């Protein structure tokens, strides 16, 4: 999800303002986290649906994931960049009725842990995810990935074809996240913060670093005290809930709230790799799409092009059309929704998943 921070802040600044920026944190006594992942409002439903938080040692990483009950064919979920596996909380209970869900924190996110020298590239991460599917799931899967998760779904479909039965790409930044095209996107501004953090400043607290780095935007578009209030809200949460990602309940928009949570656990080396162009090393989007033999649904969400030509979204229409022209078994779905469709319009996402995957369920 390369462009998420500024893209969402631009879109949801009015919501933050309407909330009065009185960011009350959820009291620790009220929180019932799905082992340190689910929001208090959703955890009971997720647990009741049969999900359990697990970890697996894959190659040299510790991969965290939530596994649902075996109620159908395996379905792998790959969240958007800067979020974590909990971002699917609105759709997890319903998906568990028809699938055996594996909701994964891929490297750089959530509670997945990697060594300091881990290469943040599609090839490395995709290879490790493929090994997880091969050794832990042990059969071909359906896969759905949002944004950067969608790029990883493309990599897996192209490079581990025996493991993927069909793929749903939820608003992936195809072509737009390749270098140098990325320099013409809002993504580039977001990634610069990750790049400076990973290569120069090395902050011990990336969430507060990110809030400080975006302070001018907050002051201009929300209000002069916004960075201070956000910082204090995060600190208050941590005092009352040590070791748990922030749940700022007065941020009414789910995607922005999940963003704050995800940034608390995010490794800026992931975004820095996009900024410098290394994330796509050995991963040509056009070649990968053209080599995929399984059925693929390309879901495109809303986007706009700013006056200066900057792309504010994952793909423009020409990039989506190009992707469709390369797919052998492609289905296109345009959705009037923001970038994280499964949060903005969960029912529409579920309809797409069920229509596309269950129609070919074995």
């Amino acid at each position: 999800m390369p462009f998420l921070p500024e893209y969402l802040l631009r879109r949801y600044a009015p919501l933050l303002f309407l909330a009065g920026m009185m960011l009350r944190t959820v009291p620790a006594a009220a929180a019932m986290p799905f082992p340190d992942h689910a929001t208090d409002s959703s955890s009971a439903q997720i647990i009741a649906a049969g999900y359990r938080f697990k970890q697996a040692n894959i190659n040299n990483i510790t991969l965290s994931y939530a596994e649902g009950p075996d109620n159908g064919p395996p379905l792998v979920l790959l969240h958007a960049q800067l979020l974590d596996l909990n971002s699917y909380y609105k759709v997890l209970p319903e998906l568990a009725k028809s699938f055996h869900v594996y909701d994964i924190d891929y490297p750089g996110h959530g509670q997945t842990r990697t060594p300091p020298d881990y290469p943040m590239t599609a090839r490395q991460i995709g290879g490790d995810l493929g090994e997880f599917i091969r050794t832990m799931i042990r059969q071909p899967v359906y896969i759905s990935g949002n944004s950067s998760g969608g790029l990883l779904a493309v990599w897996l479909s192209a490079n581990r074809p025996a493991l993927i039965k069909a793929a749903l790409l939820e608003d992936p930044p195809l072509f737009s996240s390749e270098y140098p095209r990325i320099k013409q996107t809002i993504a580039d501004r977001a990634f610069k913060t990750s790049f400076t953090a990973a290569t120069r400043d090395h902050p011990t607290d990336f969430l507060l670093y990110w809030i400080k780095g975006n302070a001018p935007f907050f002051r201009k578009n929300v209000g002069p005290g916004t960075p201070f209030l956000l910082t204090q809200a995060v600190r208050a949460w941590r005092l009352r809930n040590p070791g748990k990602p922030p749940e700022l309940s007065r941020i009414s928009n789910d995607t922005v709230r999940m963003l704050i949570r995800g940034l608390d656990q995010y490794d800026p080396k992931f975004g820095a790799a996009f900024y410098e162009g290394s994330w796509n090393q050995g991963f040509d989007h056009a070649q990968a799409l053209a080599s995929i033999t399984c059925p693929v649904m390309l879901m495109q969400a809303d986007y706009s092009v700013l006056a200066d030509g900057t792309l504010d979204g994952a793909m423009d229409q020409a990039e989506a059309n190009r992707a469709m022209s390369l797919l052998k078994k492609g289905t296109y779905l345009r959705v009037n929704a923001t970038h994280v469709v499964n949060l903005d319009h969960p029912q529409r996402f579920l309809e797409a998943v069920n229509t596309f995957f269950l129609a070919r369920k074995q």
Side-chain angles (χ1 to χ4, degrees):
M1 184 164 47
F3 54 91
L4 183 62
E6 185 164 346
Y7 173 69
L8 288 177
L9 289 175
R10 289 166 56 88
R11 187 171 293 252
Y12 293 119
L15 292 173
L16 296 177
F17 177 77
L18 289 173
M21 294 311 299
M22 297 178 63
L23 300 176
R24 176 178 56 82
T25 59
V26 178
M32 188 179 70
F34 170 56
D36 295 330
H37 277 76
T39 62
D40 65 308
S41 61
S42 64
S43 57
Q45 291 183 345
I46 294 172
I47 293 171
Y51 285 93
R52 296 294 180 266
F53 178 72
K54 299 182 178 182
Q55 291 185 316
N57 293 322
I58 302 295
N59 296 331
N60 60 345
I61 67 174
T62 300
L63 199 70
S64 68
Y65 63 103
E67 181 179 352
D70 187 359
N71 289 337
L75 170 63
V76 169
L77 300 176
L78 301 176
H79 56 77
Q81 186 177 163
L82 303 179
L83 303 186
D84 68 3
L85 62 81
N86 185 60
S87 63
Y88 283 106
Y89 79 92
K90 287 187 175 182
V91 298
L92 286 176
E94 188 65 26
L95 289 175
K97 296 178 182 179
S98 303
F99 297 95
H100 188 173
V101 178
Y102 295 83
D103 181 12
I104 300 174
D105 279 333
Y106 53 81
H109 300 77
Q111 294 194 22
T112 286
R113 297 293 175 258
T114 60
D117 59 349
Y118 185 83
M120 290 295 179
T121 66
R123 183 165 53 186
Q124 180 67 52
I125 297 170
D128 287 336
L129 291 173
E131 187 66 7
F132 173 83
I133 295 171
R134 187 185 71 83
T135 60
M136 301 300 294
I137 303 179
R138 298 174 183 167
Q139 60 179 302
V141 305
Y142 297 118
I143 191 166
S144 178
N146 181 206
S147 197
S148 295
L151 296 181
L152 290 168
V154 169
W155 190 95
L156 282 160
S157 299
N159 293 279
R160 300 292 186 271
L163 299 177
I164 308 298
K165 293 196 290 186
L168 191 158
L169 312 178
E170 184 186 349
D171 207 32
L174 290 166
F175 311 118
S176 64
S177 60
E178 291 184 301
Y179 197 90
R181 161 62 168 151
I182 196 171
K183 297 299 180 182
Q184 301 170 325
T185 69
I186 279 201
D188 192 58
R189 307 176 193 177
F191 288 144
K192 186 175 182 179
T193 301
S194 295
F195 181 77
T196 57
T199 62
R200 186 188 69 192
D201 297 337
H202 307 289
T204 57
D205 191 323
F206 182 71
L207 172 56
L208 295 185
Y209 177 89
W210 180 82
I211 293 172
K212 181 179 179 180
N214 285 278
F217 173 88
F218 282 121
R219 294 189 186 105
K220 177 180 178 181
N221 293 281
V222 184
T226 304
F228 173 79
L229 289 170
L230 269 175
T231 298
Q232 295 309 308
V234 169
R235 287 174 173 166
W237 166 269
R238 289 172 173 170
L239 283 173
R240 302 174 72 177
N241 305 273
K244 296 181 180 180
E247 298 285 359
L248 304 185
S249 64
R250 289 298 292 271
I251 297 180
S252 59
N253 182 269
D254 290 309
T255 308
V256 176
R257 186 164 49 83
M258 291 294 102
L259 169 65
I260 297 296
R261 174 193 175 88
L263 285 164
D264 185 67
Q265 307 171 90
Y266 178 69
D267 185 344
K269 292 196 297 291
F270 191 96
F274 277 90
Y275 186 79
E276 64 186 9
S278 61
W279 198 87
N280 287 299
Q281 185 176 12
F283 175 40
D284 180 274
H285 293 186
Q287 291 178 5
L289 289 166
S291 70
I292 296 173
T293 56
C294 71
V296 176
M297 172 178 279
L298 177 62
M299 179 186 291
Q300 184 181 19
D302 295 338
Y303 74 93
S304 64
V305 179
L306 305 184
D308 63 358
T310 299
L311 174 65
D312 190 356
M315 297 174 288
D316 63 20
Q317 196 59 53
E319 287 161 335
N321 292 345
R322 183 186 179 196
M324 288 302 301
S325 73
L326 292 165
L327 289 168
K328 294 180 176 67
K329 300 176 182 177
T331 300
Y332 176 74
L333 179 63
R334 181 72 169 84
V335 181
N336 183 19
T338 54
H339 183 51
V340 188
V341 180
N342 66 82
L343 277 171
D344 191 30
H345 285 288
Q347 193 57 43
R348 190 69 188 90
F349 175 79
L350 287 168
E351 289 171 1
V353 169
N354 290 331
T355 300
F356 186 61
F357 290 142
L358 293 183
R360 53 179 50 84
K361 183 172 70 171
Q362 298 177 356

